Amino acid sequence: IYIDEVGRGSSAIRNSLLSIMNEKKVLRGNESCDTQWELFVGSTNSIPTEETGDAFWDRFVIKHQVLAATPDEMAK
């Protein structure tokens, strides 16, 4: 699963994603459906400083900062 701009989601969205990560289940109405994901990846432009220790962000065990390319680097 790849979630782009995961940091822009509301706390309700992040709580839902956290539940999917922990339980590998999605609620659809009153029905619970198993998910079969093997890799859960998220991208964001920034993690708010006050949320860095939050349970949601802790679930991403590998974090890697990618810096923007400079115009010279892009020209290469």
Side-chain angles (χ1 to χ4, degrees):
I1 295 175
Y2 174 76
I3 308 291
D4 190 24
E5 291 299 341
V6 71
R8 290 188 175 202
S10 68
S11 60
I13 294 291
R14 290 197 307 254
N15 284 337
S16 293
L17 291 172
L18 181 60
S19 182
I20 293 168
M21 288 178 193
N22 288 336
E23 301 168 23
K24 289 195 172 187
K25 293 182 185 289
V26 176
L27 292 177
R28 190 170 52 189
N30 293 331
E31 188 179 318
S32 177
C33 303
D34 291 333
T35 60
Q36 301 299 316
W37 62 267
E38 293 182 27
L39 183 64
F40 202 105
V41 177
S43 71
T44 186
N45 287 327
S46 64
I47 298 173
T49 308
E50 66 275 5
E51 294 183 15
T52 54
D54 186 83
F56 176 73
W57 300 111
D58 274 355
R59 295 307 183 273
F60 293 95
V61 293
I62 299 172
K63 297 175 184 79
H64 183 73
Q65 182 178 9
V66 178
L67 301 175
T70 66
D72 289 339
E73 291 170 331
M74 291 179 73
K76 290 179 186 177

